Each structure stands twice: as structure tokens, then as C-alpha cells.
Amino acid sequence: MLKFFSKPARASAFLLSCLASSIACAADTTYPDAAASDPAKMGWMVGSPPPPDRIIRFADGSYFKFPAMRWSVSNFRQLMPTTNVSRGLGAPVPLNRALRKDIDALTFTPTGASKPMTWEQSLAANYTDGIVVLHRGKVVYERYFGVLNPQKQHAAMSVTKSVVGTMGAMLVADGTLDANKKIVDYIPELAKSAFANATLRQVLDMTTGLKFSEDYADPNAEVWQHAMAGNPLPKLADYTGPQTYMEYLQTVQPSGEHGKAFAYKTVNSDVLGWVIARVTGRNVAQLLSERIWQRVGAEQDAYFTVDSIGTPFAGGGLNAGLRDLARFGEMIRNDGKYLGQQIVPKAVVDDIRAGGDKQAFAQAGYDQLKGGSYRNMWWVTHNPDGAFMARGVYGQRIYIDPKAEMVIVRFASNPIASNSANDPVTIPAFEALAKQLITHPQ
Amino acid sequence: MLKFFSKPARASAFLLSCLASSIACAADTTYPDAAASDPAKMGWMVGSPPPPDRIIRFADGSYFKFPAMRWSVSNFRQLMPTTNVSRGLGAPVPLNRALRKDIDALTFTPTGASKPMTWEQSLAANYTDGIVVLHRGKVVYERYFGVLNPQKQHAAMSVTKSVVGTMGAMLVADGTLDANKKIVDYIPELAKSAFANATLRQVLDMTTGLKFSEDYADPNAEVWQHAMAGNPLPKLADYTGPQTYMEYLQTVQPSGEHGKAFAYKTVNSDVLGWVIARVTGRNVAQLLSERIWQRVGAEQDAYFTVDSIGTPFAGGGLNAGLRDLARFGEMIRNDGKYLGQQIVPKAVVDDIRAGGDKQAFAQAGYDQLKGGSYRNMWWVTHNPDGAFMARGVYGQRIYIDPKAEMVIVRFASNPIASNSANDPVTIPAFEALAKQLITHPQ
């Protein structure tokens, strides 16, 4: 059962830790299904004032409790401070559309299941809030549920990491950063932390050896300290720990050797964000605006949640429009080229697609991602289509299938944080659609 | 001297009360001038992390202390929760431009001064962050200073009231609201408050008789309770008062008779916001997006700060791009018509221009606005040009001069909250420019 703490700072620490990670925030339990937990039907925050049992507040932690969380993921800026990712002031470039009617009826068999499921059924099974499919750059499918619509931004959770990882790799490609350099060479303040002697490459690929537990059942887990430090709001009177992400990162201690095993730890992304800010003079929100958001014809600004000194949460703070994240994904699928401009160097996309160290990845034991790897904060399947993805808790995903010329972006609010809860449906569904697009390109 | 409180909730109460009002937040003192307090030159929040003496935080109240405040007014969303005012997803409609070079050298004599001043000098004298002048719908002048630029949003402070008042008057014009009805007829929850037997017209024109002091020097002033209630962030442990704007409004007690005198009190705008939300099912941020922002070709989303249950601060929470607020002003100047559409009924603009009760207004004793009036939350000068304006603390303004076919929108961060501090420069400067545009239309 999900448990909430009565004190505000505890509740917010809980939230931020969930945001930060792919580890489940809830243990085994049963939850109302997508229809029963539909945030629009539940009437969250409707009325002036809303009925008491339909109010979602930050201070009491109610906002991250399922099913209220299904409203919150489309309304983070209303709950906490944020910083803008400007799309610029020009005209958006509309996505071309060629909607297909054959997708909803597509069938596949979920991993471990005995019966097939339709694509349409998979949307509810995964508590989908919004999903868009591009084929050869055109929108072939687009759906919104609950309180999400095309004019809103949804939490991307750890999909953020892949966006930040892409920017890090861009800076390596243009020589601004050297992947073989040690982190301490960029951030002297990290000299006494585990990151000091890690290379930037190890951070980008999360093969650092860090004492950083994301076990929420353990009140002494480091993830609590990270979340509390990142909390931008007033701390409890007795709180004496780090006040910012940067202060927290300096306290992370080593565990094991760097470079040996893949270990998914959010703090790597925060360190990358810090390195990016130090060398470019721009935080990840500003850089994302300048280098990407203003160049892909985005129709909405995006935003990041921030800590008490305005540091964007590089490990999980991005919120964006569904179609804009699809523009980003399509740009990556096209080797970094979009709207006639080379936005991300082709070498960066080639490097992601080639993937990381498979042996290092295998040690992390992701059953449903066997044979995969992790590179520049992207998950690489190494399946026959060469698919790779960005993954965020509660079902957020960018899925790029080069062979099928397909990009899927999904926002969701699954009651279970870990993607291992939705992968048995998600992966076969996405693979089946890829196959359909290859065999019936229309 | 400005004083700050050590406890976070006190500091935030202080902020919100300053936001809410046109009364000075500072008594007589001397301040560094615009150049010496330039927020870009001061390097606020630059660096990763910024130097300790250049960090601006919400929790310690530093963000609203001059000169740090000059950075904060362009970055409110980074300090507190907000809600979006979507511009929609289409292409913005660029403002036509016909820049003039004769404006900077224009001279005028400030009220009570012996020597003339140039227009250009007036910008620094008023701690201007951004100013745009439209003449016959074209941009003839545009400047940005400090940390503001065309891609940012700036706090509009009590200019918000005129935007909300316009929406209220629109709903009166289309019959959704009846200006003669009592507030209690719309909001039964206000039955025991001073608002119960006030008419909607009295609220729109701020001729209500309310026990509501905006005297910041008095720790028992009602403005503190209002600000604390509106504070969306966790309250101090010993705080037991209202948790939202709506809860607070129910506690406002009467003082004197309704309908007798103009008395500028922010809570009237909050009540209007509540009435709007109750009858339309949309809060003022949602309604502003639907009825106006999506229809004027805005180039940026705007936003409102919110309380703990997401209620937009109707009395002062709007933040917007300078040019977008100019589009709004130009639409009003054109009798509510813009881009070929009637966005605000002409009757509403006629009603604002005709003004309110001059005798009621005179009783409030605004020396520099003698002969003026207040209607639908707009300030009407009744000068020979028929100028009217929206005014917000620290120098925010929309100034519409029908005879000169001129709209000026200014964002500023004057160290003194009250517009009485900048009116001696602002009013003669704006009148001189109007005269120049009439005599030299080019």
C-alpha cells in the first residue's frame, strides 16, 4: 500500500523521490482500473471551491496519491515552482497528419499472458493519458484521456534523463565536453563525492558505483535525502541537510567500482545537468530551449520543476506537450535532422543507437530488457528493428523504431511507478504496431 | 525601511500583500538608481550555483526585497506555483512595426519639478523593465532592460484587476451576470461577510464598504490574513486561519455603507474572480485563455500565481509577455475588436471609457488622479484625450489614450510599491507622448 506522511516536507520528499526514479513507489496492491480512476470523471479540482474530497494540495501530499496523481501529472506547475523552456515566439510548425483506422483493432499477446489484447485495450491497461504515433513523420494515431489535452503539458518523469543525456552527448560531439574527463575536472565541488573520479562517460551511461539506494521502504535510503534537498519549498524546522540538488550531490558516497555495471541512479542525471550548466553557463532548461525547443517548431513551451535556487531537476523534472515530445523523438529518429536543420549531430544519434555496454547492463537484471544496453541516458533494445527508448516512471515513454520509421510518445499515470509493471503490455504492443507499419505502410 | 521577517510564511505573506495592493510596501527611504540596481548587472541567479549573495529564494523572503525584487518580477513561476493561460496552439499574429526615433528625445516636466526630463530619462527614473508603445496599432517604440526580454513574462501586479474586471463586464454585457444582483445571490458562502449585500456593480467599481486595511505597518491589518490565506505553500505549524482565498473572503467584515465611496481593496477583485468561476465553471485563468488570449494572436502563454487549491490570484497574480499585454490593450482601444473579431463587446469598452462615479472616487483622495473615476476595475482619467488605464504596484501599467490612438504597456520594478511614487514622472511623460503622436502622426 502507498503510505503518506502527515508532514508536508515528508510528503514532498516522497513525491520527488518517485519522480526521480524508475523503482516502484507502490508495492503489490490492487488499484481501480483506468475508467474507474479517470481523473476527469473523478472531478478533481472542479468547482469553486472543489468539494473537499476532490481537492488536491501539495502541502498534505494528496497530490501524489493514486488516483489523485492522475490529475497531478498534468498539473505539476500548479503544485510547485517551475522554470520555462521557451519555444520562442515564431509560428509552430504543424505535424503532418495521415491518421490510420487499423491501429485500434491490432492484436498482440502481453508477455506472460495466455490471451491476446487489442491495441485499444492496451491504452486503458496502461492508464494512458495521451499517446501519439508518428510514421514516416506523419501523425497516424493520437489519443488523449482524462484531463490531458493537446494544450497541456504532462510530466515526462525520467524521460527527462534522455533529453538531458542527448544534450550532454551533443556537447561531447562538439568538443565542449570530453567524455573521458573525470567529473572532478568539471566540478571541483564534487571532489569528496563518489562522482569525483568517475568519467563523464560513466555518468552518461550510468555505470558509476554509487551508494545511493532508491528503496522507498527504507526511511534511511539516500533517495529521501535527495528528494528533501531538491524540494524547493520551505523545509521542516528540524531539517539541517542539503538545501539544493548541487549541495546534495556533494554528499554521495561510492559503492563498488565505476565502469563495471549499469546501475540506474537518478543522481547521475543531476550531475550531468550540473556539468552542462558549468560549461555552457546555461541550465538544462535554458539549453533545451536554445538548442532544441526553439528549433523543432514546438507548439508549446515546456517546463522543468526546480529546487530552492532554481536548479531544474535534470533527473526527472521536464513537463511537455505530447506533440512537442513527438517532434523531439522524430528529430532523433531522423538522425538529428528536422525541418531542414541538423539539430543534434548525427554522430550523437549513431552513438545512442549503437548502444552501451551490454555486459554491464545485463548485471542490472532487467528481465524484460534482456540483451539491451544504456547509452547517453537512453535505453537501447538491440532488437531486430534497432528500437531505443526514453522511459519514465508511471509509463512515460518515447519509443523510436528505426526500421518501422515509427516514433511513439506516451504519457501515462499507471498506479505503479516501475515500468516493469507496464512493460509486459507496452513492449509487445509497440512491437506489434511496428510490425504492422512495416508490413502495411499504406 | 523595508523589513523582512525571518519565518518563511511571514515573508510570503508580505510578498502577497505587496502583490495585492497599490499601497506602498516601503516607507520613505533612498534606493540605488535603475543602473545601480540593474538585475542583469547584479548577476542574480547566475552561476551553478550562483554566489551565495546572488541567490534569490522564496523561503527566506529575499525574493521580494529590493533590489532582488527586480529579478523576481520576471521570474515568479520559479518561486511559487502557477497555472497556465494558454495562447492556444496556432501561429501568433505578429504586431506591425513602425519604430520612431523621435521619442527618446521628447521632453516633459515631471509634476512638481522645476526642470524638464527626456522620455529616455524617464525610463530609468521609473525603473522600467520593459515598455512598448503602439500608435494606430503599430509598435512605434519598444525597450527591454535588466533581465526582461521579449521571450519572458513579467508580473502585471494589479493590472490583473483590469483584465479580470473586463471579463466581469463581458459577462454582464452578455447577460451571464446581472450587475444589480447582490453578491450573496451568486456566492451563498459569502452570506456572513461584508460582500453579502454588496451589488456586483459595487464590487466591479470598488465602492464596497469593507473592513480591510492594507496598512503593512500594522501587523494586525487584514491584508496579512489575506496574504497568508492565499499563500499556496505549507503554513507555519501554529497557523490556524483560512487556507485559501475563498475561505478568507468569507471572513471580510463591513465598514461603512456600500456604494458611497471608492475604496481600492484587492479583495473586491478576488470576489469577482469567485463569481466568474461560479457562473462560468472556469476560473479566471481558464476564461482569460478561452475568451481573450487564444483570440488576440498572443505569442506567449501567460500565467497566474495560485493559492493552495489552485485558485488564481484574481487581484494581482497575472504574469504576461509585454507584447501580449499590448495586444490586449490595443484590442480594448479598438472598442474590443481585434484581428477582425469582436472579442470584448463594444458596450463594455464604452462603459469603461464613460467611467464610474466621480464623486465616489474623489473621496479616496488620489492627488494625481483628480477628476478621475474607477469603472470595471479600470482607472479613468477623464482627461481631454479620454485616457484610461490599468495600474499595478511597482509601476506596471496599461495606458490607453483614445484621442492619440496610443497604447502604452510598461513593466517596472520601482523600489516603491505605490504608483503615487512614479505618477509624477509617468503621467506627464505619457501625456507628452500622446501629444507628440497627435501633432506628429508621421
Side-chain angles (χ1 to χ4, degrees), chain A residues 3 44 74 121 154 290-291 324 364 429:
Chain A
K3 274 197 189 155
W44 297 112
S74 292
Q121 290 169 332
H154 190 287
E290 290 180 17
R291 298 283 176 97
D324 288 334

Side-chain angles (χ1 to χ4, degrees), chain A residues 162-206:
Chain A
S162 307
V163 174
V164 171
T166 300
M167 291 194 288
M170 288 168 73
L171 295 169
V172 170
D174 72 14
T176 305
L177 290 174
D178 177 349
N180 296 317
K181 263 195 166 179
K182 296 276 195 285
I183 293 300
V184 72
D185 294 335
Y186 291 113
I187 312 286
E189 296 96 315
L190 288 172
K192 292 181 181 166
S193 79
F195 295 107
N197 64 341
T199 64
L200 178 61
R201 171 50 56 206
Q202 288 160 344
V203 164
L204 278 163
D205 295 352
M206 293 211 194

Side-chain angles (χ1 to χ4, degrees), chain A residues 82-408:
Chain A
T82 57
T83 193
N84 200 40
V85 177
S86 173
R87 63 170 196 90
L89 303 175
V93 181
L95 291 167
N96 291 318
R97 300 176 75 81
L99 296 175
R100 292 173 62 129
K101 294 185 175 172
D102 59 330
I103 295 177
D104 276 328
L106 202 66
T107 58
F108 66 93
T109 302
T111 309
S114 54
K115 285 192 295 187
M117 178 185 273
T118 67
W119 172 273
E120 189 173 28
Q121 290 169 332
S122 78
L123 304 181
N126 284 334
Y127 297 79
T128 303
D129 296 326
I131 187 164
V132 61
V133 181
L134 303 187
H135 180 225
R136 298 178 177 170
K138 292 181 180 168
V139 176
V140 294
Y141 190 86
E142 185 179 18
R143 291 284 187 285
Y144 297 88
F145 301 92
V147 296
L148 188 64
N149 64 52
Q151 273 180 232
K152 294 206 73 163
Q153 299 112 329
H154 190 287
M157 305 290 180
S158 293
V159 165
T160 308
K161 294 179 172 72
S162 307
V163 174
V164 171
T166 300
M167 291 194 288
M170 288 168 73
L171 295 169
V172 170
D174 72 14
T176 305
L177 290 174
D178 177 349
N180 296 317
K181 263 195 166 179
K182 296 276 195 285
I183 293 300
V184 72
D185 294 335
Y186 291 113
I187 312 286
E189 296 96 315
L190 288 172
K192 292 181 181 166
S193 79
F195 295 107
N197 64 341
T199 64
L200 178 61
R201 171 50 56 206
Q202 288 160 344
V203 164
L204 278 163
D205 295 352
M206 293 211 194
T207 57
T208 45
L210 308 176
K211 184 173 178 301
F212 187 84
S213 163
E214 301 200 9
D215 176 6
Y216 303 102
D218 174 7
N220 296 314
E222 287 81 3
V223 68
W224 291 103
Q225 300 161 27
H226 174 259
M228 187 76 82
N231 174 4
L233 306 176
K235 307 285 192 289
L236 289 180
D238 59 357
Y239 179 79
T240 57
Q243 298 283 334
T244 67
Y245 289 119
M246 290 184 239
E247 284 181 27
Y248 177 74
L249 295 171
Q250 298 173 51
T251 72
V252 176
Q253 292 303 304
S255 172
E257 262 185 90
H258 297 317
K260 297 296 178 189
F262 169 67
Y264 183 82
K265 298 187 192 269
T266 292
V267 281
N268 287 296
S269 302
D270 291 318
V271 163
L272 176 60
W274 194 355
V275 170
I276 288 173
R278 181 61 57 84
V279 298
T280 67
R282 281 150 177 75
N283 68 35
V284 294
Q286 294 164 331
L287 199 72
L288 181 59
S289 170
E290 290 180 17
R291 298 283 176 97
I292 298 178
W293 229 249
Q294 297 194 38
R295 303 182 70 195
V296 294
E299 60 192 28
Q300 291 193 86
D301 293 350
Y303 66 84
F304 275 83
T305 58
V306 295
D307 73 8
S308 65
I309 61 168
T311 316
F313 178 24
L318 178 65
N319 291 253
L322 182 67
R323 292 176 187 160
D324 288 334
L325 210 51
R327 288 174 166 92
F328 173 82
E330 179 65 11
M331 177 270 290
I332 296 292
R333 186 187 74 81
N334 283 293
D335 299 325
K337 204 170 173 182
Y338 196 66
L339 303 179
Q341 299 174 89
Q342 194 72 40
I343 293 167
V344 171
K346 180 172 185 298
V348 168
V349 181
D350 287 346
D351 187 45
I352 293 167
R353 289 176 61 167
D357 182 333
K358 289 186 188 182
Q359 285 193 311
F361 187 84
Q363 293 177 62
Y366 286 85
D367 281 352
Q368 290 163 109
L369 301 171
K370 276 197 165 63
S373 70
Y374 193 81
R375 184 69 166 180
N376 296 328
M377 303 194 179
W378 287 82
W379 303 79
V380 186
T381 69
H382 298 289
N383 76 4
D385 290 3
F388 57 107
M389 51 189 163
R391 296 159 65 86
V393 282
Y394 306 105
Q396 324 316 317
R397 195 155 314 192
I398 303 174
Y399 185 89
I400 300 175
D401 187 314
K403 187 176 171 196
E405 301 167 277
M406 175 184 83
V407 173
I408 301 175

Side-chain angles (χ1 to χ4, degrees), chain A residues 48 57 77 82 274 278 308, chain B residues 48 57 77 82 274 278:
Chain A
S48 47
R57 293 179 195 261
R77 67 177 293 167
T82 57
W274 194 355
R278 181 61 57 84
S308 65
Chain B
S48 46
R57 293 178 194 261
R77 68 176 293 168
T82 57
W274 193 356
R278 181 61 56 85

Side-chain angles (χ1 to χ4, degrees), chain B residues 104-116:
Chain B
D104 277 328
L106 202 66
T107 59
F108 65 94
T109 302
T111 308
S114 55
K115 284 192 297 187

